[in-house]
Structures are given as C-alpha cells and as structure tokens.
Amino acid sequence: MEARPMDAELEGYAWLPRMLDKARLTAAGEADGLTFGCPVDHTCLARLGVAQDELYALAVEHDDAGVLAALRARPAGLPSAQEAWFDAVAVEDELQERGTYLRVRAAADLPADRERAGRVFDGADHGAGVTVVVLQLDAGASEGEEHAHETEEVIAVTAGAAHMTLGAVQQRIVRAGEVVRVPAGVAHSLRATADGALVAVAARVA
C-alpha cells in the first residue's frame, strides 16, 4: 500500500485520503518516512474539527466510507467538503520553501525549569524570540526563590490565584484572568494562594 497523492480528494475533502493512508501505514509499521501528524495533516484536521487521535483510531478501524460516516455521526458533525477544502499542495510548498509552520508542543513534554516549578519553552531552542514558562503549583506552593530577570516578564494567571511580591515592599494577589508585568531587574516571587492550585504562564524575551 502507498499513500495516495497530495492532491487526492475523498468526496471532495482535500488531503483526507492521503492522511488516512498515512495513519493506516503508521499502524501497520510501514510508514517508511511518511509522518502521520505532519503540518499539512494538522491543517486538514483543524478544518475538519477532528482530533489527531480520533482520526487515527477511525482510520485503523474503518474504510474511507466508514470514516466519513463516523465523522458525520459525531455530535459536532463534519463541515461540508467545500467549507473544509484547502490547497494542500500549496501548504506543503510553503513548508518546503519557507519552513513556515505552526509548531505545537504539549506543556507536559517541555523540559522542567531548573529554577522554577514549571515547564519551559526556551525560545532559543525553538527559533523563537520569547521564552515561556508554564507554572502549575499546588495550593500554597512557591515557584522557587525570589529572583529577577534581565528583561521584563509578563505573567498571565489562567487558574487559581498567585500571591506575588515585587521588590522589598510590594505585594499583590493576581487572580485568574489577570495579567501582570514584572519590570526587568526587579526581584520578585510567586506562590499559589492557600485556597487552591495555580496555573500561570510567564513570558519574557529569550
């Protein structure tokens, strides 16, 4: 079995037949350099509103017609082929010629920050100018020692609340849905308040 061409369509759905073939080849251990979950696959998945794992399972279990039937039977349904259509060859060309693609990393797969209680996306390691730390702290836990950065830092609290200090005298509770700026070179600290866990995202120039 070989993957169908990049411009192949299934009932008008662009790229879907090639992606289904790649999923089946991957399941059989015969992908031979083809990657299920490549950037073009993710463009197709986004337009269809389908998760990668869901489509993989359907591709392995069903033939093409069965996959479409299962997708249409979901509560979310399936957009029409016209709504979901995209120029897959143009996306592939852009990837190859310009290296432009949406690179996504799961926070759990990022390396642990050695100084803070979180996971770090180090911009220098990923060709980005921004470093992002995903903080997840239990109630009352601190991210680490008081520290300062050479550049400004912006912290967005997405769940819970943080007790923050800034310099020698300032303190503030920053709650979910709030964003705080920490000036460059100023010592600060952050800990989850005692009433619940904290999730926050901190960003600074790499």
Side-chain angles (χ1 to χ4, degrees), residues 88-145:
V89 175
V91 174
E92 178 66 22
D93 287 346
E94 181 179 66
L95 290 165
Q96 297 301 324
E97 295 170 9
R98 299 179 57 191
T100 303
Y101 66 98
L102 285 166
R103 178 178 290 187
V104 177
R105 296 289 181 267
D109 294 337
L110 296 173
D113 190 314
R114 291 185 295 273
E115 299 175 359
R116 305 168 78 177
R119 300 282 179 170
V120 62
F121 177 95
D122 190 328
D125 292 340
H126 297 276
V130 177
T131 290
V132 175
V133 178
V134 180
L135 299 165
Q136 295 179 310
L137 300 172
D138 293 332
S142 171
E143 68 164 330
E145 300 294 325

Side-chain angles (χ1 to χ4, degrees), residues 49 54 69-79:
E54 179 183 9
L71 291 174
R72 289 174 172 139
R74 298 178 312 153
L78 186 68

Side-chain angles (χ1 to χ4, degrees), residues 107 116 119 131-136 153-159 178-180 190 198-204:
R116 305 168 78 177
R119 300 282 179 170
T131 290
V132 175
V133 178
V134 180
L135 299 165
Q136 295 179 310
E153 182 175 48
V154 174
I155 301 171
V157 176
T158 60
E178 296 181 331
V179 180
V180 61
L190 177 152
L198 168 73
V199 180
V201 179
R204 62 180 184 276

